[in-house]
């Protein structure tokens, strides 16, 4: 049985993908990090993006509480339609590590001695943690790279009038932000009733098959990383006013 280790945030979206891996390969270790302090997160964002943009992102986040509630019926339909399992896999060993950059994570990785590491939804992994992993690290990204790196790639593709690049990517993780060579990509389709919260469930559904295939390729030594001929841009969370503008003008919510 292959020795797989997952690093993740423990969200329902992550378990949708990890359950697909468990069905194919059997149980494995799942290292789950805690949410980052909101104060630390906002301070870092303001340093990088400025106060005004971050204030707009906070407004967007608050609005998403309402949008998320309104989207629950659609989320239930997506789960049923695609036969998704957003609950923790009972056979997987779950280890709380605090942060992917904490000593507890490095100790758990060193002890596990994995054949491959799968990453989904964590904060940026620093060099100290990367240095203890001597096997391929696969990052599961909710967007088509390199065109939609960073946050909410599927949303940005749709909001930019670029639905042909609304999709997901499995790529090798490096020190950059979603800059690693690509192993697998797949599209997803959104309908008129879909919103920012439902895109992530659609993308999690789309990520299952390419993730399983990419892990199979790595374990067999047949993976062939490549660089898509696309422009490269890093995206961030939308601001409240940008989200409302695109929603009204393009119907992308």
């Amino acid at each position: 049985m292959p020795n797989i280790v997952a690093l993740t945030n423990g969200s329902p979206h992550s378990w949708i993908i990890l359950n697909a891996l468990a069905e194919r390969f059997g149980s494995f270790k799942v290292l789950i990090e805690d949410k980052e302090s909101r104060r630390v997160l906002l301070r870092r964002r303001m340093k990088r993006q400025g106060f005004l943009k971050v204030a707009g992102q906070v407004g967007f986040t608050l609005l998403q509480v309402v949008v998320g509630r309104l989207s629950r019926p659609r989320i239930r339909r997506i789960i049923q339609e695609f036969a998704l399992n957003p609950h923790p896999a009972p056979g997987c060993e779950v280890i709380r590590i605090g942060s992917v950059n904490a000593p507890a994570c490095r100790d758990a990785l060193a002890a596990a001695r994995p054949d491959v590491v799968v990453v989904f939804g964590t904060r940026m992994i620093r060099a100290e943690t990367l240095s203890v992993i001597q096997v391929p690290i696969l990052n599961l990204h909710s967007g088509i790279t390199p065109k939609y790196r960073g946050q909410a790639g599927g949303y940005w593709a749709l909001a930019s009038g670029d639905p042909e690049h609304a999709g997901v990517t499995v790529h090798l993780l490096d020190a950059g932000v979603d800059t690693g060579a690509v192993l697998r990509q797949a599209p997803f389709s959104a309908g008129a009733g879909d919103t920012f919260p439902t895109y992530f469930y659609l993308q999690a559904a789309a990520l299952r098959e390419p993730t399983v295939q990419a892990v199979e390729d790595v374990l067999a030594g047949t993976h062939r990383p490549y660089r898509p001929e696309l422009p490269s841009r890093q995206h961030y969370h939308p601001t409240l006013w940008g989200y409302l503008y695109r929603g009204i003008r393009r119907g992308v919510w």
Side-chain angles (χ1 to χ4, degrees):
M1 182 180 297
N3 188 4
I4 300 170
V5 171
L7 297 176
T8 185
N9 57 7
S11 66
H13 318 107
S14 69
W15 282 112
I16 287 170
I17 304 162
L18 297 182
N19 274 301
L21 281 174
E23 288 174 9
R24 170 63 181 85
F25 299 105
S27 60
F28 51 88
K29 285 185 173 63
V30 180
L31 311 186
I32 297 181
E33 71 171 3
D34 297 330
K35 284 187 177 181
E36 193 170 14
S37 160
R38 184 165 295 182
R39 178 182 295 179
V40 172
L41 179 63
L42 290 176
R43 186 185 300 125
R44 186 174 66 249
R45 284 188 180 180
M46 281 192 285
K47 186 176 181 180
R48 183 186 301 133
Q49 302 175 63
F51 174 80
L52 185 61
K53 191 167 186 178
V54 173
Q57 291 171 342
V58 171
F60 163 78
T61 301
L62 294 175
L63 178 61
Q64 289 307 300
V65 175
V66 177
V67 176
R69 289 173 181 166
L70 295 174
S71 300
R72 285 174 184 170
R74 172 59 178 150
I75 290 172
R76 286 194 292 268
R77 290 196 298 272
I78 293 171
I79 290 172
Q80 183 176 20
E81 178 183 351
F82 292 96
L84 307 181
N85 183 357
H87 307 292
C92 288
E93 179 184 356
V94 174
I95 303 173
R96 291 279 176 180
I97 53 171
S99 164
V100 291
N101 298 309
C105 180
R106 295 193 287 275
D107 292 344
L109 285 167
R113 301 179 67 182
D115 298 315
V116 61
V117 175
V118 176
V119 178
F120 181 81
T122 71
R123 66 199 74 178
M124 286 287 292
I125 302 178
R126 297 176 187 163
E128 295 92 333
T129 298
L130 294 177
S131 66
V132 304
I133 307 173
Q134 305 302 318
V135 297
I137 309 172
L138 311 189
N139 188 55
L140 316 182
H141 176 63
S142 297
I144 292 293
T145 65
K147 193 171 187 180
Y148 294 100
R149 299 186 295 109
Q151 301 291 332
Y155 165 80
W156 283 115
L158 296 171
S160 301
D162 189 21
E164 62 268 29
H165 289 111
V168 296
T169 300
V170 181
H171 66 83
L172 295 175
L173 190 144
D174 60 18
V177 179
D178 303 319
T179 53
V182 170
L183 297 179
R184 298 273 180 169
Q185 292 185 320
F188 83 96
S189 298
D194 286 306
T195 60
F196 194 90
T198 71
Y199 300 146
F200 291 99
Y201 282 88
L202 292 169
Q203 288 175 292
L207 265 167
R208 293 176 300 172
E209 183 175 350
T211 300
V212 170
Q213 291 174 336
V215 171
E216 287 178 339
D217 292 343
V218 166
L219 293 172
T222 58
H223 58 296
R224 298 291 181 266
Y226 67 97
R227 299 279 180 179
E229 294 184 3
L230 292 169
S232 179
R233 182 180 176 186
Q234 182 176 349
H235 295 263
Y236 301 94
H237 281 301
T239 59
L240 175 61
W241 41 86
Y243 178 74
L244 292 174
Y245 173 79
R246 295 180 191 93
I248 293 169
R249 180 158 186 177
R250 294 187 183 273
V252 177
W253 296 99

